[in-house]
Amino acid sequence: MENLASNSESVSTAMDKECIGKQTDPTNIVIFGAGGDLTKRKLIPALVKMLRCGLLHQESKIIGVLKGRSLDEWLASLKEGISEYAKDVDVNNEQWKNFSAMFKMVDGDLADDATYQLLDAALENLNGFTHAMFYCAVPPRMYTTIAAGLHKQGLSDQTKGFRRVVIEKPFGMDLKSSKQLNQELQELLSETQIYRIDHYLGKESVQNLLVYRFANTILEPLWNRNYVDHIQISAAEDIGIGYRANYYEKSGALRDMIQSHLMQVMTLVAMEPPVEFTAKAVRDEKIKVLRAVRHFEKDTVKKETVAAQYSSGTIGDAKIKAYVAEEGVSADSVTETFSAARFYIDNWRWQGVPFILWTGKRLPKRVSEIVIRFRKLPFNLFDTHATPPIANSLVFRLHPDEGIFLRMNAKMPGLTTDTQRMVMRAPYSEDGQDVSDAYEVLLHDVLTGDATLFSRADEVEESWSIIEPILDVWKDRISIDRYRAGSWDVPGMDELFTDCVGGWHKPS
Ligand code: BG6
């Protein structure tokens, strides 16, 4: 331990700046599925960054549970991951040697009791506690198996320190399976031990949305049906499905992005000010929003939603094959790679304001935004001039180039009253350097016990119940509209925005 502490110190002294935030207690960080992609791409880069800036306590341990690899092989692949996915972290050999001294490995099968016995023995008493975070970086079908293994071995017992279990979406594939998962987990763990991670809520600009809303007075008077025409929440991606055909074929864009990330963001946009900034108070407000969302009826689904799939095309110079030609996708697949849905929130603040959530793969660019589009001018004085005034929009850019933009009309310079469009920009950080990765934020929250940005069981079930009628209608489809990879020509999108001031906001 002594050795580890001094080693880690040299890692942090190599740091050039400190992060703002509370340092975690020394914790046993256990990763199930530690040989997988998520661990390599996201979890380890986030942990190394947290360690370097002093957020992660240097006496913590990182315990990987995986099968069929030696500790050295595993560490070599993690090191590769850091150089590939955390390019701003310059880990030289000496620093890596020190960081890797924090690692341990448990070789075992997740369904085997012996694995949890080995894990029990591997957990260390750190400063008088055996705090442990268990991160399930495994397919969801294993969540209950892991929870049962922990429970049986007494590893979920919190007498000697906190025990928190982190799971990733999907939390079920429909209402029934999400209820079943919640019930199974809650028989083995208390709800407060379960951290359902949604990496969208860890994006700095999503949290900034809350600060903008509730730490300023000028927005709140406008934030309602009297001034807002509609709201668009989007996640356009240029990537395809990678190696995930198996999952994506069963999921599709609606489940993959809308039911989870985008509906979560919608709750933060629409919620009332919480009485305090605590997990309970914030999540109580979020669930009220979901309860107020109008449920789709079978016969409104067609009018209120869009589903489409990409055909071959080009993005930049790259030729992109059609979704149906991707490895693992059946040639007659009708899975949607683009989806959109128009939600209404039936409460005093939002009555009649459409919230249009949309997402798609293989679009021209990767952009995620919240667009608050305000009502049109009541009377236009400048109608005869070249560029008619546009409706104002307040745009929260979630990525890339996190920031806030206000689209306004201004006078053209010169002896004229012609208007021109102008964008007031407030980038979240001038050089992009201070924006933490969502996993850093969320891992830090789990380690410090702040569940504000994690979905509670009731929220998950409510959001499934809202989209269930769409899934019911879509499951019987035998064909699907297409859009060319690399284009915005998605059938039905313009119609979905009929009656919305300014129409579909395609990211520029
Ligand atoms: C994941 C989805 O949850 O989020 C992926 O399963 C998607 O399909 C990803 O690509 C998008 O995340 P981000 O942060 O890149 O927008």
Side-chain angles (χ1 to χ4, degrees), residues 115-233:
T115 306
Y116 300 89
Q117 288 155 13
L118 289 173
L119 184 57
D120 198 358
L123 293 190
E124 286 194 15
N125 184 319
L126 305 164
N127 280 2
F129 293 98
T130 48
H131 292 315
M133 170 182 96
F134 302 103
Y135 201 110
C136 300
V138 295
R141 64 174 188 283
M142 299 308 298
Y143 294 165
T144 309
T145 311
I146 291 173
L150 294 173
H151 181 75
K152 192 161 174 202
Q153 188 59 31
L155 289 170
S156 51
D157 182 283
Q158 305 205 78
T159 347
K160 293 190 202 139
F162 66 71
R163 301 298 165 92
R164 297 177 187 141
V165 177
V166 187
I167 56 175
E168 288 261 345
K169 69 166 246 291
F171 311 121
M173 293 299 274
D174 52 23
L175 180 59
K176 187 165 165 235
S177 54
S178 75
K179 277 189 166 168
Q180 188 185 337
L181 176 65
N182 283 338
Q183 194 188 330
E184 286 171 1
L185 292 177
Q186 285 166 347
E187 277 165 16
L188 300 160
L189 302 162
S190 78
E191 173 64 20
T192 52
Q193 288 178 285
I194 307 170
Y195 284 70
R196 295 175 191 81
I197 209 163
D198 185 308
H199 79 274
Y200 261 64
L201 299 199
K203 290 181 191 281
E204 289 237 33
S205 35
V206 173
Q207 296 166 64
N208 201 19
L209 166 76
L210 293 180
V211 177
Y212 255 73
R213 279 197 64 192
F214 302 129
N216 294 298
T217 49
I218 56 166
L219 292 181
E220 184 56 22
L222 305 178
W223 210 261
N224 57 53
R225 61 189 299 274
N226 297 325
Y227 296 94
V228 175
D229 179 79
H230 72 276
I231 293 179
Q232 309 189 23
I233 303 175

Side-chain angles (χ1 to χ4, degrees), residues 51 73 99 153 179 357 492:
L51 179 72
E73 283 167 348
F99 181 50
Q153 188 59 31
K179 277 189 166 168
L357 277 46

Side-chain angles (χ1 to χ4, degrees), residues 197-199 201-202 438-446 453-454:
I197 209 163
D198 185 308
H199 79 274
L201 299 199
Y439 278 88
E440 287 169 58
V441 175
L442 296 171
L443 287 173
H444 182 259
D445 282 356
V446 179
L453 299 174
F454 296 79

Side-chain angles (χ1 to χ4, degrees), residues 78-95:
L78 297 183
K79 190 172 181 207
E80 237 176 67
I82 292 177
S83 34
E84 199 175 338
Y85 301 110
K87 292 205 165 70
D88 51 325
V89 180
D90 179 18
V91 183
N92 65 31
N93 284 341
E94 187 55 24
Q95 289 164 344

